[in-house]
Amino acid sequence: MSNVSANSEYVSYLDHHGKYKGIMSWIMATDHKRIALLYMYSIMTFFIIGVVLGIMMKLEMLTPGETIMKAKMYNSVFTLHGILMIFMVVIPGLSAVFGNFFLPIHIGAKDVSFPKLNRFSWWIFVVGSIMAVLSQVLKDGPPDTGWTFYAPYSTTTSSNVIMATAAAFVLGFSSILTGLNFIVTIHQLRAPGMKFFNMPLFPWALYATAWIQLLATPVIGITLLMLIAERAFHIGFFDPALGGDPLLFQHLFWIYSHPAVYVMMLPAMGVITEIIPTFCQRQIYGYKAVAVSSLAIAGVGFLVWGHHMYTSGMSDTARWFFSLLTFIVAVPSAIKVFNWITTMYKGSIDVKPPFLYALAFIFLFIIGGTTGLLLGSVATNVQVHDTAFVVAHFHYIIFGGMGFAFFAAIHYWLPKMYGRMYDFKMANIGLVINFIGFNLLYFPQFVIGIQGMPRRYFDYPAKFQPAQLVSSIGGFILVTGLIIMIYTLVKGARKGAPAPANPWRGSTLEWQIPSPPSVENFDEEPVIKENPYDYK
Amino acid sequence: MFSKASNFVYGVDSAFLIITGISVFFLVVLTALMIYFVIKYNRKNGKPAQQIKDNMALEITWIAIPMIIVLYMFYIGWKGFIPMRVVPEDAIEITAEGSMWKFKFEYPGNKIADTLVVPIDRSILINLKSVDVLHGFSVPAFRIKEDMVPNKPNYSWFTAGELGDYDIYCTVYCGLNHSNMLGVIRVVTQQEYDKWLLTLHEKLKDSPQGMKILEKNGCIACHSLDGSKVVGPSFKGIYGSKRKVSTSGSEREITVDDAYITKSIVDPGADVVVGYPAGLMQPYKSLSESDLKLINEYLKGLK
């Protein structure tokens, strides 16, 4: 699978199995690149399960009333879809896969600071994932609380909430340890000559992300423990019947879960910031603004959680405060969009699949972001909160944003990771189908959300059916596109033509080393440019 | 162009239109720019890329302008919202109570209704409360939505401006039949309202204690008191009757007595009445023995 290199000492990380053979050479691997692939294979598996659950919901929504399943099952399906997709796919997603693979290379390092801790983080991830799967099959039945576990329903339902929350608790540690590892790596292992402002912008995004992972994740850990204690020992934190306060749960939950959205989005923005300069052969416009806006988003993002709770009976002062900050956090995201588009100006644009995915990302992200303004504004929030509008907004941000950025990243970096190239034509066909399917699936949800269709409804009034039908058809189209995309990528990684070291004429360090990289990344000391996006 | 269904439609919809308008403008302009750049600066045209230096003034402009725009959006959103929290003093006060999975409305004079009937052009204050888990009180046509939180009073208010029936939805997920938790607001003239009020029954001042426990635990959402089949068997006449039940897959006939009722509450999956789905009801293990006794007493009397 490796390329023949002029350097006789070169051994691809894919061929170098170290002390162990076969599957153990992967499970016991400490190489950041092998760990990245381990995360990718596990995350893709959960993603496919999550998509199957999504399609089951779309089938159920084809007609009002019972279509293919009963209400109890539907409630469990959307709960599991949320838990899988949020905690096991999009939160680890970009930073665990592409962060692990490219962060050390981007800063000229041989590995992360703590390779064994990195391996341990993946093991924890696997244990947490197994627990999440167990919560589905154990005696009390799959959890039916929604991924938000709102109390007091979650403290009183008979379903298997303890196992599901314990799974999320364990998964949190994987996230905390990865964040810690990345922060230390960026501080300690930058190659000589690489200052913070000489780093590419993907490490910048990961740096901001890592701080959120490290500081916010413990809050959800504590919250879930409190929930478990309440269920197991009847300690009244959240249930008013036991003297608790249900709003306390919502506050604690969103103190983590809102910043978690930035754990998903910041690396996505980082990926796009890498792809656009490469395919335009132009240095990124406003390097410092883009770098600092990542930190600004991470910082202000900590203080906006209350916009999930405008109608919860929270005080009016709190609603005012959270709405104001929510609008302010929109600005650094807008800055990034302006800088991306300006980077295309007077470039030499090569329209290849990764770049097309980046364009699709920007389009979907603008829709997702601006519909977020309608949710952040208190008056309009009252109309669309807890409706299908939120579902649409969230999927535009997380799937259209983080998901399409993940697809962009895999199309961009696959030749580097596997040393082989995929078929461009097939990749473009997959992209177009994905884009059409995505918009058909989620756009109608905006419309019926404005008309009042609540979210998490097993049944719905007949007037919403035409939009539900379009949405379901979009779902099937999207799945077709995903199948084509995954087939193209897998075929490319296994049997594609050997890829050169720098197929896209990129300027960052990963393109200066062979494809796939050797075990220690840099067999010679890397040359650090003052400007990472120097295309001259 | 705005509906007159309630006094909040104008404030909410104008904020909606302005924010959506600005958003669509940016979406169209930015998308058009992207497409234009991709065509104009395509590599196929053979022109090399030009490196362009950052321009501080430009950077500051596109920080400042979005900042002004979002602060304006915040302002109109807040302006549209404030009136929702300021209730006129002459408002008619009605209490809406959410329980799994229905709304109930309590009118002055301790009267109870299933439909929220209100007079047109009068301010109506709705006190929101929940007896079990979180619920949402949402009337899309009126642009109002507030949550019903157990043990924590919340409220909403409106003045309806058009006659007719409007949907109420529960918007906070509340378990099995969340999507069946629907209600209706009927806006009528003042005369019709006054007439309708007279037809309302007064709530029993002291409902039996057993009944209170059933209400508190949301039992009657699934088990009716009037013989109608909802999710589970009706409570009416159940005590002392003979039922066919399925015990671990095999059918047998039992007589409903204290032991059977208690067991069905604590372990609902043990003996399921034939014709009803198993596994829907959760076990209620936290009920005390005296509570269970009171329930049995009450059901005995419910012929």
Side-chain angles (χ1 to χ4, degrees), chain A residues 72 144 156 281-283 285-286 311 319-320 339 342 346 348-349 377 379 382-383 385 456-457 459, chain B residues 23 41 43 49-51 54-55 59 62 74 77-78 85 143 145-147 170-171 173 178-179 279 282:
Chain A
K72 192 175 173 66
D144 61 342
T156 48
Q281 290 295 298
R282 254 210 54 187
Q283 62 175 335
Y285 191 83
T311 66
R319 301 185 207 212
W320 186 92
N339 281 303
T342 313
K346 295 205 173 168
S348 166
I349 300 176
S377 154
V382 168
Q383 187 183 354
H385 178 63
R456 295 174 170 173
Y457 260 35
D459 194 2
Chain B
S23 302
Y41 303 114
R43 193 167 296 174
Q50 283 183 39
Q51 304 304 323
D54 293 359
N55 181 332
E59 203 76 47
W62 70 40
F74 160 72
W78 185 246
R85 306 310 286 169
R143 312 289 189 257
K145 179 181 291 134
E146 282 290 330
D147 294 359
C170 171
T171 44
Y173 175 70
H178 170 51
S179 62
Q282 54 166 307

Side-chain angles (χ1 to χ4, degrees), chain A residues 427-451:
Chain A
N428 286 336
I429 292 172
L431 162 80
V432 171
I433 298 175
N434 280 341
F435 184 77
I436 294 170
F438 178 89
N439 284 293
L440 277 180
L441 169 53
Y442 295 113
F443 201 83
Q445 307 277 345
F446 281 128
V447 179
I448 53 175
I450 293 169
Q451 292 164 355

